[in-house]
Amino acid sequence: MTDTLLPRGCQAAEPAGDGYFRKGCNPLAETGRSKLQNQRAVLNQQILRAVRMRAGAENLLRATTNNKVREQVLLELSFVNSDLQILKEELEGLNISVEVYQNAEETFSIPLVPLGLKETKDVDFTLPLKDFILEHYSQDSSEYEDEIADLMDLRQACRTPSRDEAGIEMLISYFLQLGYVENRFFPPTRHIGVLFTWYDSFTGVPVCQQNLLLEKASVLFNIGALYTQIGTRCNRQTQAGLENAVDAFQKAAGVLSYLKETFTHTPSYDMSPAMLNVLVKMMLAQARECVFEQIGLSGIRNEFFTLVKMTQEVAKVGEVYTLVNTAMNQEPVKENIPYSWSKLAQIKSDHYKALAHYFIATILCDHELQAGDDEDQQEKALSQLYDYVPEGLMVLAVLKDKVQRKQLGKAHLRKAIVYHEEALRVCGLCKKLRNIEVLQEVLTAAHKRSLLKYAQQETEDDFLSLIQAPDILPKTEHKIETIAPQFSKVKVKDFFHKLGPLTVFSAKQRWTAPRTIRLHHEAGELGFSLKGGSPVQVYCLDPVCSAASAGLKEGDYIVSVGGMDCKWLGVNEVLEKLRSVGKQPIELEVISCQDTAASLHSKSATYSMGMQKTYSLICLAMDEDKIDQNKKSPLKLPFLSWGTKNRQKAASTLCLPSAVAGSSQTKKKLSPFTLLNTESSLY
């Protein structure tokens, strides 16, 4: 499914480490998931065309006053809206095609729900990045063609990742690489002309922005979606498979939760806080369901205390699915969540509640109190299952009285049957779920089992002793929680490492073009000192020395000595290069920092077609001309913006040609987020 690909910008001498990344799956391969992905991509393009036609028709309708034209436009608009609705229903059908993602082995388990990957358009980084390298870093951009091509190849591969850890690692590698790219090429003061287009995974509506944070948020969403596909693919008939499924769903919930907390105002429905909150709940509920299957995998013993434990565990599964179903039916996610997902959550809630009542009925009907049994322990265990007991009944009396045990047990069986019938009814009303055979088989088998148990307890005087079964208190001994993404476990190498250390050579700092300084030794002295790490900085410059006369300035950074690049060299290494020249003239290339105080944009160029005001940039657009010029308005940050912190670096100072005392400063390894505030978020 995956091929090892050597990036063009990396040396072949670097084996299987940071110099390699994974190639994605073949999108044209005839697999179930690739067919779905291709169909989803085609539908997204059709939805885009329909949305554009609708926008054009609405604009014409607002502009024209001719009645005949208005009638014709209204007619066309009705056709476009109906076509758009059909396309969205087809996309919803693809989103709930859960059978494709399930394990290939024959199973008898209720299907789990995976998330489909977000689709995107191709992005050409070549011209914008080359122009930025030439303009901002004053370097020959043709030397970075391979690195740009590697970045584009990695992005293309991430559109079709394999459903395994290699696919996850590839997506995380691209996400981390975007951290480097953001700091290198995306200044906070302007846009560089790269347009990112991503389609909403639920509605198919495209969102376009010249902001890299849309790209990063969408990649994070796809990491969480891929974890859900891995979880549904696990073999749930084995202990190891269920453990892997639980782990995958917890990791999916962790990634989606991280996305919700980090990117707080995304202009896409599928990544809105409300939708992500529902998806996190759903993934944790599916992890809880797999835990219950794991407990009962080896079989459930028909023993008093074992059944008490299973009753509480399965009641917990029913409770979490009730919460998921409630969240799915709340605004604003109700309109965009697939209808079959909410119905499946309702079915699972009823099904697992029915199982809880069946288990407790089995306790009451099959386990009469014997002479050697511990009455206190059984009373304590049974009382923990109830918040209250029906009026006139005591737990110990029920245990000792055969008639009361039977009556309460049959009450639970009746409630179990009611829940089973409701689950079957809801399943029958949903066309998509009705066609899932394994779901129908599981629900029908559980219903028949409860009916058979009830028939075994039936007597002629039942109509005289009808009582209402109390609700069951859910309880679990197994903790389910989100697992935060471990980005540090994936090691990546900055494709644009040649530009220099990220703390200095970033998009946030402006530099002059490299200047060549030709100087000579003067009685063994150069007339300046060096400080800093990589690159070194000119310090304590003598204003009357030959270096100052040649144009060297205090605070200049040395980027080359004698034609040898030294952006990554420390003070000691640069001193060695200067000493190796001897008495020959020395040529240095230096750069100076430009003092710029450009203000941030007050608006972000965001294009979001067909979106409601809630998550569209329309709600943030303000006509600056309407602002009272006499009032001072606070500085507005871009729609998607990260906070920044200035980092100060320690400096060690050495003078030429004096002896070097101590070793060079230790190089610190930078992460792609070194320049980012950890508490930053989309604004």
Side-chain angles (χ1 to χ4, degrees):
M1 294 290 286
T2 58
D3 303 316
T4 305
L5 185 66
L6 179 64
R8 283 165 280 190
C10 298
Q11 299 297 326
E14 297 178 4
D18 295 338
Y20 286 82
F21 58 81
R22 287 290 182 178
K23 187 178 178 181
C25 299
N26 181 8
L28 303 179
E30 288 300 311
T31 63
R33 190 181 72 129
S34 65
K35 290 179 181 178
L36 278 183
Q37 226 164 302
N38 290 332
Q39 293 174 22
R40 186 180 284 110
V42 171
L43 277 176
N44 287 332
Q45 294 294 336
Q46 293 175 348
I47 290 173
L48 174 58
R49 287 196 293 269
V51 169
R52 285 175 174 171
M53 291 178 62
R54 184 177 68 177
E58 290 174 347
N59 290 336
L60 180 58
L61 189 64
R62 285 191 294 267
T64 185
T65 57
N66 189 304
N67 291 332
K68 286 188 176 181
V69 175
R70 289 181 64 86
E71 290 178 4
Q72 187 175 358
V73 171
L74 286 172
L75 181 61
E76 293 292 337
L77 195 58
S78 65
F79 281 111
V80 171
N81 284 329
S82 62
D83 185 42
L84 188 59
Q85 184 62 32
I86 292 173
L87 291 174
K88 288 185 177 181
E89 289 178 359
E90 290 182 17
L91 182 62
E92 179 183 344
L94 294 182
N95 286 334
I96 57 91
S97 299
V98 295
E99 302 98 324
V100 174
Y101 298 97
Q102 308 302 314
N103 184 264
E105 303 291 335
E106 186 174 348
T107 62
F108 192 69
S109 303
I110 298 180
L112 300 171
V113 176
L115 296 178
L117 299 180
K118 287 174 68 70
E119 301 293 337
T120 181
K121 281 187 174 182
D122 290 335
V123 173
D124 191 352
F125 289 101
T126 307
L127 288 178
L129 296 194
K130 289 179 71 174
D131 289 345
F132 193 84
I133 290 173
L134 181 62
E135 176 239 334
H136 185 82
Y137 295 104
S138 302
Q139 295 194 30
D140 185 2
S141 58
S142 62
E143 297 180 357
Y144 293 88
E145 290 180 351
D146 287 340
E147 285 79 1
I148 296 173
D150 291 338
L151 178 65
M152 294 172 62
D153 287 344
L154 180 57
R155 185 184 192 275
Q156 186 67 20
C158 286
R159 297 177 68 177
T160 54
S162 57
R163 270 186 296 169
D164 50 28
E165 286 299 324
I168 295 291
E169 182 178 344
M170 181 176 64
L171 287 175
I172 293 179
S173 298
Y174 180 59
F175 177 76
L176 296 178
Q177 197 66 236
L178 288 176
Y180 289 117
V181 172
E182 180 181 20
N183 286 314
R184 295 261 190 213
F185 302 107
F186 286 80
T189 57
R190 64 185 177 91
H191 299 293
I192 67 170
V194 181
L195 184 65
F196 302 99
T197 301
W198 286 86
Y199 294 90
D200 191 288
S201 60
F202 296 124
T203 65
V205 175
V207 178
C208 306
Q209 283 190 345
Q210 293 187 36
N211 198 312
L212 191 67
L213 295 185
L214 173 64
E215 180 92 347
K216 295 173 71 175
S218 300
V219 172
L220 270 179
F221 183 92
N222 278 358
I223 293 173
L226 193 58
Y227 270 126
T228 67
Q229 295 181 14
I230 293 174
T232 55
R233 195 186 186 191
C234 294
N235 186 358
R236 291 155 64 194
Q237 304 303 310
T238 64
Q239 193 75 14
L242 285 168
E243 290 177 359
N244 292 335
V246 172
D247 183 67
F249 285 121
Q250 289 183 112
K251 288 180 177 178
V255 172
L256 296 175
S257 180
Y258 176 81
L259 174 59
K260 181 185 69 173
E261 295 169 359
T262 308
F263 300 85
T264 53
H265 288 83
T266 50
S268 181
Y269 286 126
D270 53 0
M271 296 190 293
S272 65
M275 180 63 77
L276 290 174
N277 185 55
V278 171
L279 296 180
V280 169
K281 289 179 182 293
M282 185 170 69
M283 296 312 141
L284 292 178
Q286 294 189 146
R288 174 70 61 192
E289 183 180 3
C290 291
V291 167
F292 169 71
E293 293 179 352
Q294 191 177 355
I295 298 172
L297 182 63
S298 58
I300 301 173
R301 291 172 50 233
N302 192 358
E303 187 266 333
F304 187 94
F305 294 103
T306 301
L307 289 175
V308 168
K309 178 181 177 181
M310 295 303 296
T311 299
Q312 293 180 311
E313 288 287 348
V314 75
K316 186 65 177 179
V317 180
E319 180 190 47
V320 295
Y321 271 115
T322 300
L323 297 176
V324 170
N325 183 44
T326 302
M328 286 182 175
N329 286 281
Q330 300 292 326
E331 296 292 346
V333 300
K334 181 180 180 180
E335 299 300 324
N336 298 305
I337 204 81
Y339 174 77
S340 55
W341 285 14
S342 62
K343 292 304 170 186
L344 183 60
Q346 182 180 348
I347 288 169
K348 289 188 176 184
S349 173
D350 292 333
H351 172 69
Y352 288 113
K353 286 179 181 178
L355 288 183
H357 285 282
Y358 176 80
F359 286 149
I360 196 170
T362 304
I363 293 173
L364 295 170
C365 296
D366 294 356
H367 297 279
E368 294 184 6
L369 193 61
Q370 303 297 327
D373 293 337
D374 191 333
E375 294 181 3
D376 294 337
Q377 288 295 328
Q378 288 196 9
E379 179 187 10
K380 181 180 178 181
L382 194 61
S383 61
Q384 290 177 350
L385 297 178
Y386 297 125
D387 188 20
Y388 71 95
V389 293
E391 187 177 355
L393 293 181
M394 300 291 293
V395 174
L396 184 58
V398 169
L399 288 173
K400 292 182 176 180
D401 192 312
K402 182 178 180 180
V403 176
Q404 290 187 11
R405 286 175 69 104
K406 184 177 180 181
Q407 288 178 351
L408 187 56
K410 292 188 67 177
H412 281 290
L413 284 174
R414 284 193 296 270
K415 204 160 188 177
I417 293 170
V418 169
Y419 277 126
H420 282 310
E421 291 175 348
E422 178 64 14
L424 286 168
R425 185 189 69 83
V426 174
C427 185
L429 292 176
C430 183
K431 180 181 178 181
K432 300 296 183 181
L433 299 179
R434 189 166 62 237
N435 295 331
I436 302 178
E437 295 181 0
V438 65
L439 178 60
Q440 290 279 0
E441 291 175 1
V442 171
L443 297 179
T444 303
H447 182 225
K448 288 181 178 179
R449 184 174 54 199
S450 295
L451 287 175
L452 179 61
K453 190 74 174 178
Y454 187 81
Q456 293 173 353
Q457 310 299 322
E458 198 169 11
T459 58
E460 295 181 358
D461 59 345
D462 278 345
F463 65 93
L464 298 176
S465 56
L466 294 179
I467 59 175
Q468 185 69 26
D471 293 332
I472 300 171
L473 290 177
K475 184 181 177 182
T476 180
E477 298 177 356
H478 303 270
K479 189 176 182 180
I480 296 295
E481 58 187 0
T482 60
I483 298 179
Q486 301 293 322
F487 296 128
S488 59
K489 291 185 178 180
V490 179
K491 304 300 181 183
V492 297
K493 181 178 180 179
D494 181 9
F495 284 156
F496 300 92
H497 180 267
K498 291 190 300 183
L499 287 173
L502 192 57
T503 52
V504 176
F505 298 95
S506 70
K508 299 177 180 65
Q509 294 174 284
R510 298 276 298 174
W511 302 96
T512 61
R515 310 189 313 276
T516 301
I517 307 296
R518 187 179 180 87
L519 51 90
H520 301 269
H521 288 283
E522 296 178 355
E525 295 289 341
L526 289 176
F528 59 87
S529 302
L530 299 178
K531 72 173 183 177
S534 304
V536 297
Q537 192 174 12
V538 175
Y539 179 65
C540 293
L541 176 65
D542 186 352
V544 297
C545 69
S546 61
S549 302
L552 191 66
K553 299 178 182 179
E554 182 90 14
D556 281 351
Y557 286 90
I558 300 177
V559 297
S560 174
V561 176
M564 299 290 293
D565 186 274
C566 62
K567 289 193 287 289
W568 283 96
L569 299 183
V571 173
N572 288 345
E573 290 87 351
V574 174
L575 285 175
E576 290 296 329
K577 283 186 174 294
L578 292 173
R579 287 197 185 98
S580 65
V581 177
K583 296 183 178 180
Q584 299 296 324
I586 304 173
E587 282 193 356
L588 305 178
E589 281 194 354
V590 299
I591 59 174
S592 302
C593 181
Q594 293 180 349
D595 186 17
T596 58
S599 60
L600 297 179
H601 285 309
S602 61
K603 295 180 183 178
S604 172
T606 304
Y607 175 59
S608 179
M609 293 193 310
M611 304 291 286
Q612 295 179 3
K613 273 194 172 184
T614 309
Y615 297 109
S616 171
L617 197 68
I618 298 172
C619 63
L620 296 183
M622 293 184 63
D623 199 351
E624 293 182 354
D625 296 334
K626 296 181 181 179
I627 298 177
D628 187 357
Q629 300 297 331
N630 297 325
K631 296 181 179 179
K632 293 185 178 180
S633 59
L635 182 65
K636 292 181 289 182
L637 296 178
F639 185 67
L640 302 176
S641 62
W642 289 80
T644 58
K645 283 186 178 178
N646 295 324
R647 291 181 175 266
Q648 299 178 350
K649 53 182 180 179
S652 59
T653 304
L654 292 173
C655 299
L656 277 175
S658 58
V660 179
S663 59
S664 63
Q665 184 179 3
T666 304
K667 297 180 183 178
K668 294 185 178 179
K669 193 170 183 180
L670 296 176
S671 76
F673 307 106
T674 303
L675 302 182
L676 298 182
N677 185 349
T678 56
E679 299 177 354
S680 58
S681 62
L682 296 186
Y683 184 80

